[in-house]
Amino acid sequence: MHTPVLMVDLKTLDPRMLQAMEPAAVAELATRMLTELATQGAQLQQHEQRAQRYEREIQFKDAKLEKITFELARLKAWKFGARTERLDATQRQMFEDTAAEDEADLQAQLLALQGEATTPAAQTPARAPRRQKLPEHLRRIEHRHDPADTTCGCGQPMQRVGEDVSERLDIVPAEFIVHRHVRGKWACRCCQTLVQEPVAPQVVDKGLPTAGLVAHTLVSRFVDHVPYYRQEQINARSGVHTPRSTLASWAGAGGAALTPLYEALRVFVLSARVLHADETPVALLDPGAGKTRKAYVWAYARGAFDPIPAVVYNFAAGRAGRYPIEFLGRWSGTLTCDDYAGYGALLKLHARIEAGCLAHARRKFDELAKAGASPVAAQAMQRIAWLYRIEQEVADADSAQRLLARRERSVPLWNELHVWLRRQRGQVPDGGGIAAAIDYSLRRWDALGRFLQDGNVAIDNNHIENLMRPWAMGRKAWLFAGSELAGQRAAMVMSLVQSARLNGHEPWAYLRDVLKRLLEHPNHRIDELLPHRWKPAV
């Protein structure tokens, strides 16, 4: 009797065994071998794909490490370079604050890439400044951290043999609080086992501030526009010593922690079919040249009628069209924007539709009407006012009702305005202000009338212009951004706090809670912390 095929070990198969087998057994064996070869081939392909993925991840991390290392080296070169002597006192103070922010931000990113939980000893300054003891008059809230079960695995009760006490500084607006963490040590004398609750992760590792104090520093800086030197003076009135360099480093660490949430907010904003876009200049300090140059903050907000509002800002070194192209990626939909030429190339990509801003056209007539320079301008203002009156009446309607009202009431007025403008243009002389105002409206006519074709599109771009006002206020307090990294960090914080405001949240309460939860929150559930989905931790 021949050996059953299923009992044959393919690794020890001998040619003589094949000769002794019946043809049917050989065929079955061959089928088995082909199946195993196919399985091995599929496994090999999976291994190759996994290896390629790991290689891409390593290349990405290496590139990011190289970039961060370069940024740190350049930061040190600027910090100690002779050219910084050209800066005046205000510029030097701003640069030092920004340098502290950037260094903390880059170090946090570097540690995250290296997968380290604490700062390596090699990176710790040889002579770290001695930390001042927290004032005794501050209210202290004691938190005790003990194991839920103090019975050893051997069955014997464990004995408390000591404790570690650490203090972290927190703030309730207008009041500093010291959280006193007492982590009891429990030991089993039988097993010589020591049990102690681990230290919870913090935004500033081994630092004094809680998430609440980091959030307060960020809100004071980017919402209330209080420079660090003034925050230092305010804190000193409570007997708390917080040098502006320390505040800047806290803000840098906070910005690094908020980066994943900012990226999730960006994805959410770009999921909208209707967007508003605008840009505003911000002075950027160039320490290498000892002066400032012009940079820009670009803003992108979900449509004015979107039931879930959100805005995201992006800091860019210039105003070229490539910046919004890079930021929007493959987004497609209707973009409400002004007549800036930089949007031209952007709108030609990915089936994007342009919607103009009637407020821009109106302002050109308004300037002439207020100056009494043209009776035509006053008439144009009146005709445009009729359209805005209809918009006010349908502002709370749904998209379908709004579109229906526009078609029945606004379209006839719009067509009359078009005929009237063309007739007036033939009667006014070239080169005058009223001719320029009419030419602007006629040239942008299709884009300006886009709101008549889509109930989700607004009549103007005032929605995003209102969301730009905090930057205008900030410019007066900041004077300029200290670096591109500082500018983008400001854009991240402003994106989150302004979106929180749009959703009815208090900025400090929101930032405090998400900074506390981000360090242990699963990355695949990061959307739960976005302003429109956020619920305070119980």
Side-chain angles (χ1 to χ4, degrees):
M1 179 178 287
H2 297 294
T3 303
V5 174
L6 296 178
M7 300 298 295
V8 174
D9 186 353
L10 296 178
K11 295 181 180 179
T12 59
L13 187 62
D14 188 89
R16 290 175 295 181
M17 295 176 63
L18 290 173
Q19 295 174 359
M21 290 182 180
E22 295 180 354
V26 174
E28 184 179 348
L29 180 61
T31 302
R32 235 180 99 200
M33 294 176 67
L34 289 173
T35 301
E36 290 198 14
L37 285 173
T39 302
Q40 292 175 1
Q43 292 175 347
L44 181 61
Q45 186 177 9
Q46 291 177 356
H47 291 322
E48 290 178 351
Q49 291 175 350
R50 192 178 299 113
Q52 291 174 359
R53 186 173 69 253
Y54 289 156
E55 184 178 357
R56 287 194 299 269
E57 291 176 357
I58 291 172
Q59 290 176 348
F60 173 77
K61 286 190 175 181
D62 287 344
K64 201 164 184 180
L65 280 169
E66 182 180 355
K67 179 182 177 183
I68 293 174
T69 304
F70 169 75
E71 292 287 347
L72 281 171
R74 185 170 64 171
L75 183 64
K76 291 179 181 178
W78 282 348
K79 188 174 182 180
F80 302 107
R83 288 191 176 185
T84 57
E85 297 176 359
R86 301 180 187 177
L87 307 178
D88 60 30
T90 303
Q91 290 175 332
R92 175 172 286 278
Q93 176 178 294
M94 181 69 174
F95 172 70
E96 290 175 354
D97 293 348
T98 301
E101 281 186 12
D102 290 354
E103 188 171 1
D105 192 332
L106 292 170
Q107 291 286 8
Q109 293 183 47
L110 195 60
L111 289 176
L113 284 172
Q114 294 173 340
E116 298 176 9
T118 56
T119 305
Q123 296 180 359
T124 303
R127 294 184 179 180
R130 178 177 246 177
R131 182 180 296 167
Q132 295 187 8
K133 186 178 180 180
L134 295 174
E136 293 295 333
H137 71 274
L138 297 181
R139 179 164 64 95
R140 280 167 166 76
I141 300 175
E142 193 165 281
H143 306 266
R144 292 197 166 269
H145 308 275
D146 288 310
D149 185 3
T150 57
T151 301
C152 184
C154 67
Q156 296 294 322
M158 305 177 83
Q159 303 295 321
R160 190 181 183 93
V161 294
E163 62 186 26
D164 287 335
V165 178
S166 62
E167 294 187 337
R168 287 185 174 273
L169 191 62
D170 194 5
I171 184 173
V172 172
E175 180 188 12
F176 282 96
I177 299 172
V178 176
H179 288 273
R180 187 178 178 88
H181 295 268
V182 181
R183 299 166 47 246
K185 295 181 178 180
W186 294 80
C188 176
R189 300 187 183 279
C190 174
C191 302
Q192 300 297 310
T193 301
L194 181 68
V195 176
Q196 186 178 35
E197 284 293 286
V199 178
Q202 300 290 331
V203 177
V204 182
D205 189 36
K206 296 185 178 180
L208 282 177
T210 63
L213 184 52
V214 175
H216 174 76
T217 303
L218 290 172
V219 169
S220 297
R221 169 76 167 172
F222 298 114
V223 177
D224 301 327
H225 314 297
V226 181
Y228 292 131
Y229 78 92
R230 288 177 56 197
Q231 291 190 46
E232 178 183 356
Q233 295 169 355
I234 293 170
N235 295 346
R237 292 201 295 267
S238 297
V240 177
H241 180 59
T242 54
R244 67 173 187 264
S245 59
T246 299
L247 294 170
S249 67
W250 293 352
L258 290 170
T259 300
L261 191 57
Y262 168 80
E263 292 298 333
L265 178 64
R266 171 185 174 178
V267 171
F268 172 69
V269 170
L270 297 188
S271 67
R273 190 176 62 83
V274 176
L275 289 182
H276 292 258
D278 198 11
E279 76 287 339
T280 189
V282 175
L284 173 64
L285 182 63
D286 186 355
K291 58 183 181 180
T292 61
R293 56 189 175 88
K294 187 178 288 187
Y296 283 83
V297 172
W298 297 76
Y300 308 90
R302 293 172 70 93
F305 299 115
D306 198 304
I308 307 177
V311 61
V312 62
Y313 301 103
N314 182 47
F315 186 88
R319 200 187 183 197
R322 65 183 178 88
Y323 294 109
I325 289 176
E326 292 172 358
F327 188 86
L328 292 179
R330 300 191 64 82
W331 173 84
S332 63
T334 301
L335 184 70
T336 304
C337 57
D338 58 25
D339 193 32
Y340 171 52
Y343 293 110
L346 169 72
L347 292 165
K348 295 178 181 178
L349 301 173
H350 309 302
R352 290 164 180 164
I353 302 171
E354 179 185 13
C357 175
L358 190 58
H360 274 74
R362 181 186 177 281
R363 287 182 198 128
K364 299 182 183 299
F365 293 112
D366 186 49
E367 293 170 358
L368 296 170
K370 287 181 178 178
S374 172
V376 175
Q379 295 178 45
M381 289 287 294
Q382 180 62 48
R383 290 176 178 272
I384 294 174
W386 295 340
L387 294 166
Y388 269 94
R389 190 174 298 116
I390 297 172
E391 288 300 305
Q392 291 177 352
E393 294 174 4
V394 299
D396 296 329
D398 60 34
S399 176
Q401 293 173 337
R402 188 180 303 112
L403 182 58
L404 180 61
R406 287 172 174 175
R407 286 175 175 173
E408 293 178 349
R409 302 171 59 191
S410 299
V411 169
L413 295 174
W414 186 253
N415 292 336
E416 289 178 12
L417 177 61
H418 191 216
V419 173
W420 181 82
L421 285 174
R422 293 178 65 180
R423 184 171 61 249
Q424 295 299 322
R425 182 61 184 90
Q427 299 174 3
V428 300
D430 295 338
I434 188 60
I438 294 175
D439 286 342
Y440 176 86
S441 295
L442 293 177
R443 177 170 52 84
R444 298 274 296 160
W445 193 255
D446 290 342
L448 292 174
R450 198 71 64 192
F451 74 102
L452 299 171
Q453 304 168 16
D454 189 339
N456 291 311
V457 175
I459 192 173
D460 55 35
N461 209 21
N462 288 348
H463 177 57
I464 195 70
E465 291 183 4
N466 291 333
L467 293 172
M468 275 298 195
R469 289 180 181 175
W471 290 95
M473 296 175 60
R475 280 197 300 259
K476 297 178 182 179
W478 307 331
L479 301 181
F480 47 79
S483 70
E484 289 188 34
L485 183 60
Q488 186 56 26
R489 181 167 48 250
M492 287 195 301
V493 177
M494 293 278 274
S495 298
L496 291 166
V497 297
Q498 292 304 324
S499 294
R501 278 179 160 180
L502 289 173
N503 285 274
H505 304 313
E506 198 280 316
W508 175 79
Y510 173 71
L511 276 189
R512 173 181 178 271
D513 187 67
V514 298
L515 281 172
K516 185 185 297 184
R517 295 161 62 181
L518 266 174
L519 299 176
E520 297 181 296
H521 195 81
N523 191 55
H524 68 277
R525 290 167 47 198
I526 194 74
D527 287 359
E528 296 175 0
L529 301 182
L530 289 175
H532 65 283
R533 296 187 61 187
W534 173 72
K535 294 181 180 178
V538 180

